[in-house]
Amino acid sequence: MVVVHPGTSSLNQPNPTENAMKFMLMCQFQPAAFANVSAADGAQMMEAMMGFNHQLIQAGVLLAAGQLAPPETSQRVFAKAGRIQTEDGPALPGDTQIGGYYLIDVPGEPEATGWAAQCPAAQFGAIEVRQVVFSPL
């Protein structure tokens, strides 16, 4: 029998409070920044990212996260002259691309930016913090 106590889920993860807000942390990078990264340095970065993931899970704020495939594998879907079209490549112009994301549930922007500041990806790129203002879920 599973007993659910107030403030926890059946997985013993803290439930977000009624006042919590969702924020998307988008890990931005420039592919050229990785051109000369050694295998050892890459492995060390992945270990640091896994540690950060664990911190978010332990704090009970992580809702979703993922590393995205390289931008050259993407498809852009758009409407032109009333017809849906697709095009190879990323939607963002320029060298900066989104390499991954975190969706977190925290009390406010100061906490969201605090988590973003702790993300190891900020050492080689930037973390864009944006509040989710509507979600059907």
Side-chain angles (χ1 to χ4, degrees):
M1 178 175 165
V2 176
V3 177
V4 179
H5 298 279
T8 64
S9 71
S10 61
L11 299 177
N12 291 326
Q13 293 292 325
N15 278 343
T17 65
E18 292 294 323
N19 295 327
M21 293 183 263
K22 292 178 178 74
F23 286 86
M24 180 71 76
L25 310 183
M26 293 171 278
C27 303
Q28 299 176 344
F29 72 100
Q30 293 180 331
F34 295 100
N36 297 318
V37 174
S38 70
D41 287 344
Q44 186 176 13
M45 175 56 72
M46 286 306 296
E47 186 176 322
M49 292 298 292
M50 292 300 122
F52 178 67
N53 296 345
H54 185 70
Q55 289 177 332
L56 291 168
I57 293 166
Q58 289 298 106
V61 299
L62 185 62
L63 299 177
Q67 179 180 356
L68 302 177
E72 61 270 10
T73 67
S74 64
Q75 289 282 311
R76 195 167 69 94
V77 179
F78 58 97
K80 186 173 184 181
R83 297 187 57 166
I84 299 297
Q85 298 184 20
T86 62
E87 188 173 276
D88 290 342
L92 298 176
D95 292 342
T96 301
Q97 299 299 323
I98 298 171
Y101 66 92
Y102 293 93
L103 180 61
I104 61 173
D105 205 348
V106 293
E109 188 175 301
E111 293 82 4
T113 56
W115 280 110
Q118 294 177 52
C119 182
Q123 298 298 316
F124 60 85
I127 311 298
E128 181 178 342
V129 178
R130 197 179 302 181
Q131 185 178 0
V132 177
V133 294
F134 171 78
S135 174
L137 304 175

